[in-house]
Amino acid sequence: MQWRLLVCCLLMLAGNVNAKIENNKPEIIIILDDLGYRPTDLAAFSLPTEVTFAILPQTPLASTIAERAHAEGRNVMLHMPMQASNGKKMGPLGLTTDMYPAAITHTLRRALKSVPYAVGVNNHMGSAFTGEKDAMMTIMEEIKRQGLFFVDSRTSVYTRGEEVAQALGVPSVSRHVFLDHQRTPSFLTQQFERTKTLAKKRGSVVVIAHPYPETLAFLAEALPHLSDEGLQLVSITEHLKPHQPLRHVAMAQHAKE
């Protein structure tokens, strides 16, 4: 009798595991970068709430977009400007490789104050800065102190972002696909098909896009059909939650300078 009970329990457990696997659809995570400058950025609110808003610091609409996004239950991230190898201007509060650690920390805290409710950070540009291990250690230590996560935009193959984040125990992930560095319908379609293929192969894929009118129109049309293909759109915090618990903080704006 006991062995029969054991067999029944094992069969029930196997059934539960199989059900869980069937329900575990590949995940697509979309981060919308460069928000904060243009009134047209507000059109991004037409997209599903799972789309994460990455907002540039000290931009005219940073606080407005962050407040509304938080009220709608969207994830807000700080899109932190970092030095590029080509010398391109970063905008307000950019981090450079020649800054002292205290200056990096001070600048990051000021940036967080200007983007309320930020729960994570990703880099804006940064092909030079993210390759400097010591600089990334400094910024990651502050990200950890704030209880945030880090998304490496991977603007350079030499980035040390996710490597340093993992070494310090900061929840992190890297970008897999840039959706719209060309804005033609054919290119957007090509990149989105690549996104879906990678998601099915890897189990999840992180996509970075921008609030261009062409991109927003494309995503508004494409995203509702993901479930028909056995895929699911999830927020970045939902994606990170199973891997490492996050302390969901809405206190970044209170960071001490």
Side-chain angles (χ1 to χ4, degrees):
M1 179 64 72
Q2 289 183 340
W3 69 267
R4 288 180 181 175
L5 181 60
L6 177 60
V7 169
C8 287
C9 290
L10 290 173
L11 288 174
M12 290 175 64
L13 179 60
N16 289 337
V17 170
N18 288 335
K20 184 176 181 180
I21 292 173
E22 291 173 0
N23 292 331
N24 190 22
K25 295 180 179 179
E27 298 177 345
I28 292 178
I29 302 95
I30 296 180
I31 298 171
L32 209 60
D33 275 358
D34 293 355
L35 291 162
Y37 273 111
R38 301 158 297 271
T40 54
D41 290 353
L42 297 176
F45 284 98
S46 64
L47 297 180
T49 55
E50 290 85 359
V51 175
T52 298
F53 285 5
I55 302 170
L56 290 161
Q58 288 192 353
T59 48
L61 295 172
S63 181
T64 298
I65 293 174
E67 293 279 358
R68 178 175 168 184
H70 177 72
E72 292 185 4
R74 298 175 184 270
N75 284 171
V76 173
M77 292 177 59
L78 167 65
H79 193 37
M80 188 68 199
M82 301 183 192
Q83 183 179 343
S85 300
N86 61 10
K88 187 177 179 180
K89 291 184 179 180
M90 295 176 284
L93 300 180
L95 300 176
T96 60
T97 57
D98 60 354
M99 293 173 73
Y100 288 110
I104 292 174
T105 300
H106 175 75
T107 303
L108 177 59
R109 289 176 178 177
R110 289 179 62 200
L112 284 167
K113 276 178 170 283
S114 75
V115 181
Y117 304 109
V119 294
V121 177
N122 74 328
N123 54 293
H124 171 58
M125 304 193 298
S127 52
F129 191 92
T130 60
E132 296 290 329
K133 185 175 181 179
D134 289 345
M136 290 305 293
M137 285 288 289
T138 299
I139 191 173
M140 215 64 70
E141 286 168 351
E142 182 61 22
I143 287 172
K144 183 174 183 177
R145 275 192 291 267
Q146 296 285 344
L148 311 177
F149 60 82
F150 180 72
V151 175
D152 192 338
S153 301
R154 290 197 62 82
T155 55
S156 166
V157 295
Y158 302 109
T159 178
R160 309 296 291 274
E162 193 169 9
E163 169 196 336
V164 172
Q166 290 177 351
L168 292 178
V170 174
S172 63
V173 70
S174 289
R175 181 272 312 164
H176 303 109
V177 176
F178 276 128
L179 185 68
D180 55 0
H181 44 282
Q182 296 178 32
R183 305 184 208 177
T184 63
S186 60
F187 187 79
L188 289 166
T189 299
Q190 172 188 311
Q191 291 298 88
F192 200 66
E193 289 301 316
R194 178 170 172 247
T195 294
K196 292 187 287 186
T197 299
L198 281 174
K200 292 173 183 177
K201 181 179 179 180
R202 297 174 46 88
S204 63
V205 61
V206 177
V207 180
I208 286 181
H210 301 84
Y212 305 133
E214 300 90 340
T215 300
L216 298 180
F218 177 85
L219 290 175
E221 171 64 28
L223 294 180
H225 302 292
L226 286 178
S227 60
D228 299 336
E229 300 185 50
L231 301 163
Q232 58 182 333
L233 180 68
V234 301
S235 68
I236 184 65
T237 50
E238 281 299 311
H239 172 66
L240 287 171
K241 192 183 298 180
H243 305 289
Q244 185 166 355
L246 293 171
R247 186 183 69 176
H248 185 90
V249 290
M251 56 183 290
Q253 72 276 26
H254 299 306
K256 295 180 180 178
E257 296 192 27

